[in-house]
Amino acid sequence: MMHAERKKRSMKNKILRLILGDQLNYQHSWFREQRPDVTYLMMEMRQETDYARHHAQKLIGFFAAMYNFVAFLRKSGHQVIYLQLQDKKNLQSLSENIKSLIAENGFTHFEYLLPDEFRVDEQLKKLSKEINIEVSSSDTEHFITKREDFQEIFSGKKKYLMETFYRKLRQRTGVLMDGDEPAGGRWNYDLENRKPFKSHQKAIPPLEFNHDYKSIWKEITKAGVKSIGTPLDSKFPWPTTRKESISVLNYFLDELLTHFGEYQDAMTSRSWSLFHSRISFSLNTKMISPLEVIKKAEERFRNNPEHYTLPQVEGFIRQILGWREYMRGIYWAEMPQFSNLNFFEHKRKLPAWFWTGKTKMACLHQAITQSLEHAYAHHIQRLMVTGNFALLAGINPDEVDEWYHGIYCDAIEWVEITNTRGMSQFADGGIVGTKPYISSAAYINKMSDHCKGCTYDYKIKTGEKACPFNSLYWNFLDNHRKKLENNPRMGMMYKVWDKMQANEKEKIILQAQKFFDEIKIL
Ligand code: FAD
Ligand code: SF4
């Protein structure tokens, strides 16, 4: 644009542009040009700190990442209003702050980036009608698909299927494609990616930072924000800039990716993140983009296929190109009704030890204590330990959602609720997945080293030493027979149950009842 024209535009307009805490896209086209007519707005608000009880590291991480993003904007010559939690002018509500700033500064335009949460989307639509100035929205330029692409891909289909979606995106983006064919002739190497982590094998430590964020934590506690977990404020480990996010990604590509696929379902008490990337916080705040992550991983395979094998790399790419985009698609296709679904009509309360880790069950103890300490558990811990237990124990999905939404530093509703209520709790009756992810202790023993040191015995179904997962598993199947027996993927399990002697079945059901009665002290 010509200088004179830009100047003319800037004299006329006064534009307020909103950036939310999970919209820290350093590469967004908004920031390519310095504009005197534009003021960016970022806010720390009680509206966001209080709508769930968040992990301390999640609160610190978001504020630190926002703070660093403001510094980047100012250094690049942009004007920014940054409302901190304790600022007198901060009305603690997105809408009220914006209305007040418009009145005070005479902004003529309000522009925002499309939010990823339904709640905020609704709030911004409502606000747009209430303020008497021109409003427009733009894409965050982060995701590979647009909100509406999902509906288009599944238009006329009876059921969503991750694999269909994933293959479409492979074709559309050309990722891991050789012409029209998938690289190596196969789309999916999942079956080769299910190895347990053996006792003689060494884990590689994660890349952690040592930020001193005591001042941020002080601000949060002084304001009286309630939180859970260990703050680690003087040795904050998570990346809070784009540069650091890229370092975590490169560390993963250099050191961990060659083991990722193979051991992605393994669990061990010797490492809290094993070979997982720990990039979810950076991705979900948009400090890095999914396509750049995928492209970098593919590049490794293309340049060095002996070292970076296809099953390893495909296993990783599928999580991001497949699962992450798929969950976002489901969120926008199914909200808001999705957040109330409770297919099994589960009503039980989450035991208090989910908030302390004080349980005798070694697998749950590990998954919960590391979540409290690191604001992180990897996928299989979330799905097959905490999620599996909550489902088998008939916990109300509202309570399960509340826990998952608070505890992980990467928990943002669009990806938390689809994973928790959908994939893990099957409360959607099969929108996300095709069957409930449940298992008895045998699976946990196969994939982890937790059972060896446990109070309970993974081999036993009933009696004093019996592992709770065993009787709860069969009790769950028996209880929900009407809803599940016609699912073709569940038939085998019912066959095994039906072959058991009546008195054994009775003992198992009684044992499950005993666990329900004692759930607070398991
Ligand atoms: P890696 O194992 O290294 O995987 C790489 C990336 O793939 C992740 O960073 C993530 O962006 C993506 N990915 C992998 N699996 C999924 C998935 N199922 N859905 C979406 N993206 C995926 N992920 C979140 O980002 N936020 C959440 O709040 C969240 N809640 C979950 C709740 C439950 C009950 C379950 C079963 C899973 C949840 N996940 C969530 C998905 C997954 O567990 C995390 O993305 C992953 O553990 C983050 O760690 P990582 O970056 O080391 O992932
Ligand atoms: Fe978990 Fe049961 Fe194994 Fe204990 S025995 S670690 S409770 S699966």
Side-chain angles (χ1 to χ4, degrees):
M1 190 177 291
M2 302 288 294
H3 181 70
E5 198 184 323
R6 207 182 308 152
K7 197 166 169 203
K8 203 168 117 206
R9 182 180 67 184
S10 71
M11 306 249 296
K12 265 196 7 219
N13 298 336
K14 244 185 134 184
I15 301 169
L16 182 65
R17 278 182 173 173
L18 172 70
I19 304 167
L20 298 168
D22 65 345
Q23 296 180 333
L24 314 180
N25 182 354
Y26 284 70
Q27 295 174 310
H28 195 278
S29 56
W30 265 9
F31 314 125
R32 279 191 209 132
E33 187 189 8
Q34 290 170 14
R35 289 188 37 183
D37 54 337
V38 169
T39 302
Y40 290 100
L41 168 65
M42 292 181 68
M43 300 175 270
E44 301 170 359
M45 289 174 292
R46 295 303 293 262
Q47 162 184 328
E48 297 306 304
T49 57
D50 295 6
Y51 81 101
R53 188 177 284 211
H54 303 288
H55 196 293
Q57 287 175 47
K58 182 179 175 191
L59 292 165
I60 298 173
F62 267 91
F63 283 5
M66 286 164 69
Y67 202 73
N68 291 331
F69 195 74
V70 170
F72 151 78
L73 288 179
R74 288 194 174 135
K75 206 170 156 206
S76 316
H78 302 288
Q79 304 176 75
V80 188
I81 297 173
Y82 186 50
L83 289 181
Q84 290 192 275
L85 207 57
Q86 298 273 66
D87 282 349
K88 285 211 178 75
K89 280 191 177 174
N90 192 340
L91 301 172
Q92 308 298 346
S93 142
L94 181 80
S95 313
E96 294 314 309
N97 277 339
I98 290 167
K99 281 182 196 165
S100 154
L101 286 167
I102 292 172
E104 191 183 327
N105 298 284
F107 289 108
T108 57
H109 292 65
F110 173 58
E111 296 181 2
Y112 64 91
L113 298 172
L114 285 172
D116 289 313
E117 284 195 296
F118 188 84
R119 157 187 80 89
V120 184
D121 200 49
E122 291 291 297
Q123 188 177 10
L124 282 168
K125 278 188 202 150
K126 185 165 174 276
L127 174 72
S128 305
K129 287 187 197 139
E130 289 168 358
I131 50 179
N132 228 354
I133 59 175
E134 239 177 81
V135 180
S136 64
S137 58
S138 309
D139 198 272
T140 53
E141 299 169 11
H142 171 80
F143 290 99
I144 297 159
T145 45
K146 302 261 178 280
R147 277 186 196 176
E148 55 282 359
D149 284 359
F150 190 81
Q151 306 269 39
E152 254 173 63
I153 290 175
F154 288 102
S155 128
K157 302 257 179 359
K158 274 203 187 124
K159 183 140 182 42
Y160 307 135
L161 212 57
M162 205 296 276
E163 193 60 29
T164 311
F165 179 81
Y166 171 56
R167 289 181 191 188
K168 268 261 175 340
L169 290 205
R170 289 269 297 272
Q171 285 162 327
R172 194 188 278 186
T173 55
V175 167
L176 289 183
M177 295 295 292
D178 290 333
D180 291 338
E181 296 300 315
R186 272 167 62 188
W187 294 99
N188 188 317
Y189 291 81
D190 204 19
L191 285 176
E192 282 159 49
N193 288 343
R194 291 178 184 176
K195 287 197 185 146
F197 186 64
K198 298 267 168 53
S199 57
H200 65 269
Q201 286 173 297
K202 271 209 169 132
I204 300 171
L207 175 65
E208 297 186 84
F209 299 92
N210 276 321
H211 299 293
D212 185 345
Y213 284 145
K214 282 201 287 289
S215 56
I216 296 181
W217 182 232
K218 205 166 150 197
E219 183 199 4
I220 294 167
T221 46
K222 224 166 119 193
V225 175
K226 293 202 168 70
S227 65
I228 46 169
T230 315
L232 293 177
D233 51 335
S234 58
K235 266 184 143 203
F236 190 78
W238 293 97
T240 55
T241 59
R242 175 167 165 79
K243 197 170 166 215
E244 287 171 1
S245 299
I246 299 275
S247 303
V248 173
L249 172 62
N250 286 339
Y251 182 80
F252 169 73
L253 296 171
D254 293 340
E255 309 292 336
L256 309 171
L257 175 60
T258 51
H259 311 284
F260 174 85
E262 230 170 321
Y263 299 109
Q264 64 178 304
D265 289 359
M267 295 177 278
T268 172
S269 47
R270 289 180 290 134
S271 164
W272 58 272
S273 57
L274 208 55
F275 304 115
H276 293 267
S277 65
R278 290 173 61 251
I279 57 168
S280 49
F281 177 72
S282 300
L283 275 172
N284 294 355
T285 48
K286 304 185 178 56
M287 293 191 286
I288 51 174
S289 89
L291 205 55
E292 76 178 311
V293 174
I294 290 166
K295 289 260 157 81
K296 277 192 170 204
E298 179 172 14
E299 215 174 86
R300 298 287 172 123
F301 161 68
R302 296 281 183 199
N303 293 342
N304 194 351
E306 258 105 74
H307 190 56
Y308 293 96
T309 66
L310 188 53
Q312 302 283 13
V313 175
E314 189 278 322
F316 176 67
I317 288 179
R318 182 168 4 101
Q319 306 310 315
I320 300 171
L321 186 62
W323 281 110
R324 189 167 184 269
E325 294 285 321
Y326 179 70
M327 291 308 205
R328 176 166 179 269
I330 289 194
Y331 182 78
W332 285 107
E334 298 294 329
M335 280 295 279
Q337 60 279 6
F338 194 89
S339 62
N340 294 316
L341 298 176
N342 187 355
F343 180 67
F344 295 120
E345 296 172 52
H346 282 164
K347 295 193 175 71
R348 202 163 273 115
K349 279 186 83 63
L350 199 67
W353 45 260
F354 257 79
W355 304 93
T356 63
K358 288 184 183 151
T359 165
K360 299 190 284 288
M361 290 180 276
C363 52
L364 278 150
H365 172 78
Q366 171 68 34
I368 296 169
T369 45
Q370 76 161 68
S371 301
L372 290 165
E373 201 172 321
H374 300 286
Y376 180 91
H378 62 73
H379 187 67
I380 288 299
Q381 293 179 297
R382 297 185 202 197
L383 187 66
M384 298 312 292
V385 178
T386 39
N388 188 12
F389 182 85
L391 179 55
L392 297 181
I395 310 293
N396 185 333
D398 291 345
E399 299 237 335
V400 188
D401 254 337
E402 190 192 339
W403 187 79
Y404 278 100
H405 202 160
I407 201 148
Y408 295 119
C409 64
D410 56 33
I412 301 182
E413 191 187 68
W414 67 268
V415 58
E416 175 280 320
I417 204 169
T418 41
N419 270 293
T420 303
R421 204 168 275 258
M423 182 191 268
S424 157
Q425 298 302 293
F426 205 74
D428 61 358
I431 296 173
V432 169
T434 48
K435 73 168 187 61
Y437 281 95
I438 48 168
S439 81
S440 63
Y443 174 83
I444 297 175
N445 179 57
K446 186 176 145 216
M447 297 312 297
S448 81
D449 52 17
H450 300 317
C451 298
K452 278 188 207 110
C454 186
T455 306
Y456 300 101
D457 188 332
Y458 75 94
K459 295 188 286 310
I460 306 179
K461 292 191 195 73
T462 56
E464 210 169 300
K465 295 279 283 175
C467 167
F469 278 93
N470 292 333
S471 54
L472 293 180
Y473 173 80
W474 292 114
N475 178 73
F476 172 87
L477 286 175
D478 191 50
N479 221 357
H480 296 300
R481 183 159 202 147
K482 266 197 196 141
K483 288 182 170 153
L484 295 175
E485 74 177 334
N486 293 327
N487 182 325
R489 299 192 64 200
M490 305 294 287
M492 262 299 284
M493 299 169 196
Y494 281 106
K495 270 190 194 143
V496 176
W497 178 236
D498 290 343
K499 275 191 190 149
M500 278 188 217
Q501 299 290 325
N503 66 339
E504 196 189 349
K505 282 191 195 168
E506 199 180 323
K507 275 207 268 174
I508 290 173
I509 301 295
L510 281 174
Q511 180 70 57
Q513 194 49 55
K514 189 169 181 292
F515 285 135
F516 288 135
D517 295 342
E518 294 171 356
I519 197 164
K520 287 185 186 159
I521 52 159
L522 285 181

